[in-house]
Amino acid sequence: MLIKTARDIKNSEITPENIFRDRRRILAAGLAAGLLPGIGLDTEAALPDGISLNKTKPWPNSIDEEYSDFDDVTGYNNYYEFGTGKTDPARYAHTLVTDPWSIKVEGEAENTGTFTLEDILRPHSFEQRVYRLRCVEAWSAVVPWVGFPLADLLKRFSPTSKAKYVQFFTLYEPNQMPGLRYPVLEWPYREGLTIAEAMNPLSLMAIGLYGQALPNQNGAPLRLVVPWKYGFKSIKSIVRIRFQESQPQTSWNMAISQEYGFYSNVNPRVDHPRWSQASERRIGGSLFSARTPTLMFNGYEAEVAHLYRDLDLAKNY
Ligand SMILES: Nc1nc2c(c(=O)[nH]1)N[C@H]1C(S)=C(S)[C@@H](COP(=O)(O)O)O[C@H]1N2
Ligand SMILES: [Mo]
């Protein structure tokens, strides 16, 4: 039996756009619930042999909103290593080599070293979590991510009591990533979280979306999704994880510290110096389509507000 992936279904095969959308939704949901056999799909190419998304379980706390279109989520991206244009990553990220892939773990942890992607993924079972992700540029997307809690991974390295923060680095390979030629950010791209943020059950290590492995432009083979923070915290194509006592450097803070702080929590009450953060536009609509109000912590206030009880969020943006 041949199952078409979202990517294979051509618009021309179906007339009304909403049916097209619905079919993709059903396909992705079916794959994630294990209702459809994954045999014949080549969409797990970014994952090591033996790692399969067939047993992905739906996560019960997913938001109940219509998914953004697969084509928008995989065609309109920020991944500056492949260029600063929104369509550059989809156009150029095919040169990213995700196999073999390994991750170096260092710093304040007992179990450091270099691990293959298979070592990293093998013990985990995968969930489909529908999260809203909001870019600092005021567009947002509703995406069925596939992944596992970041905390479950970090605990395997036994961080020491000095591990107050964790820093992440993206691959740096100028031969594969044409955007590295331009000094728009500090390379390699780096991000950081407090250990409490990293251990929060919402922090997701993602390996897929819409029931299939991550496309390169979305950060294959594994990337963070931190849904209560602006999108740039959700670092792609991770190759290094470092536990440390002091607050780590982050590429956006190093580039423009007046605009991008360490925390970067979604906060409609604290504007970006150059634009309002009070509302957002769902990806895929026209520039003139209705904006929806941005929610505190991107709608995840109940889960994460306690992390910031003693912080002035206007100063700690
Ligand atoms: N390595 C790396 N990770 C990155 C970025 C980047 O340029 N390089 N862009 C970030 C930004 S600004 C956003 S909004 C999200 C976008 O994720 P998406 O393209 O999967 O929607 O990725 C984040 N992760
Ligand atoms: Mo972003």
Side-chain angles (χ1 to χ4, degrees):
M1 177 180 174
L2 184 120
I3 296 174
K4 286 192 172 185
T5 66
R7 196 189 288 272
D8 297 325
I9 301 170
K10 296 199 178 58
N11 270 305
S12 55
E13 289 181 48
I14 309 127
T15 18
E17 167 64 12
N18 55 340
I19 293 175
F20 177 46
R21 197 171 303 180
D22 232 68
R23 229 168 100 171
R24 284 189 289 196
R25 229 184 121 130
I26 291 161
L27 178 67
L31 281 173
L35 300 174
L36 301 168
I39 300 144
L41 294 180
D42 66 349
T43 49
E44 294 184 1
L47 298 176
D49 288 348
I51 302 293
S52 158
L53 306 184
N54 287 344
K55 293 201 181 101
T56 302
K57 293 254 163 37
W59 181 63
N61 303 322
S62 286
I63 59 164
D64 187 19
E65 277 184 53
E66 190 182 354
Y67 303 167
S68 298
D69 270 11
F70 176 90
D71 293 343
D72 295 323
V73 171
T74 59
Y76 187 91
N77 301 97
N78 274 335
Y79 197 165
Y80 278 21
E81 287 87 334
F82 294 99
T84 54
K86 303 298 178 209
T87 55
D88 287 344
R91 206 173 298 162
Y92 302 119
H94 62 272
T95 54
L96 175 67
V97 178
T98 59
D99 177 25
W101 194 269
S102 59
I103 289 144
K104 191 174 174 198
V105 178
E106 58 189 22
E108 291 295 338
E110 282 163 29
N111 188 15
T112 55
T114 299
F115 302 87
T116 65
L117 182 60
E118 198 203 336
D119 288 339
I120 293 282
L121 299 183
R122 202 187 321 101
H124 298 280
S125 48
F126 308 130
E127 303 170 333
Q128 174 167 280
R129 296 185 172 201
V130 186
Y131 279 164
R132 194 184 303 105
L133 189 65
R134 189 194 187 282
C135 180
V136 73
E137 295 161 275
W139 46 268
S140 60
V142 176
V143 177
W145 299 102
V146 177
F148 56 95
L150 176 64
D152 291 353
L153 176 63
L154 298 187
K155 283 175 195 154
R156 289 169 57 201
F157 308 125
S158 300
T160 70
S161 59
K162 282 189 180 163
K164 305 279 189 249
Y165 296 89
V166 53
Q167 187 179 29
F168 302 88
F169 295 86
T170 295
L171 181 73
Y172 177 86
E173 276 293 345
N175 292 334
Q176 298 174 28
M177 300 169 135
L180 293 177
R181 240 180 280 141
Y182 307 101
V184 284
L185 288 174
E186 287 287 337
W187 311 117
Y189 193 100
R190 67 203 71 178
E191 259 307 335
L193 297 170
T194 67
I195 200 80
E197 291 173 332
M199 294 297 184
N200 184 276
L202 282 182
S203 293
L204 190 72
M205 191 57 102
I207 57 168
L209 42 68
Y210 299 81
Q212 60 176 257
L214 285 176
N216 289 353
Q217 60 267 35
N218 294 94
L222 86 171
R223 56 93 53 91
L224 282 187
V225 183
V226 189
W228 71 95
K229 292 179 180 281
Y230 291 117
F232 63 87
K233 303 294 284 185
S234 292
I235 183 173
K236 296 176 171 181
S237 309
I238 295 165
V239 292
R240 187 147 62 104
I241 298 175
R242 180 152 77 197
F243 295 95
Q244 58 183 63
E245 192 164 19
S246 57
Q247 187 172 294
Q249 291 181 319
T250 69
S251 287
W252 282 99
N253 181 249
M254 292 164 94
I256 326 177
S257 61
Q258 327 79 268
E259 301 189 5
Y260 307 111
F262 176 77
Y263 288 94
S264 296
N265 294 315
V266 173
N267 189 338
R269 297 192 281 268
V270 177
D271 286 339
H272 185 278
R274 291 183 281 140
W275 59 82
S276 161
Q277 293 292 30
S279 69
E280 65 202 62
R281 195 175 47 80
R282 287 283 183 278
I283 195 175
S286 82
L287 279 172
F288 307 103
S289 60
R291 292 169 75 103
T292 54
T294 288
L295 302 173
M296 190 63 201
F297 297 116
N298 200 21
Y300 302 96
E301 192 168 12
E303 291 89 343
V304 300
H306 69 274
L307 295 170
Y308 311 105
R309 204 158 279 151
D310 302 323
L311 268 194
D312 177 344
L313 294 177
K315 290 204 185 93
N316 297 280
Y317 51 90

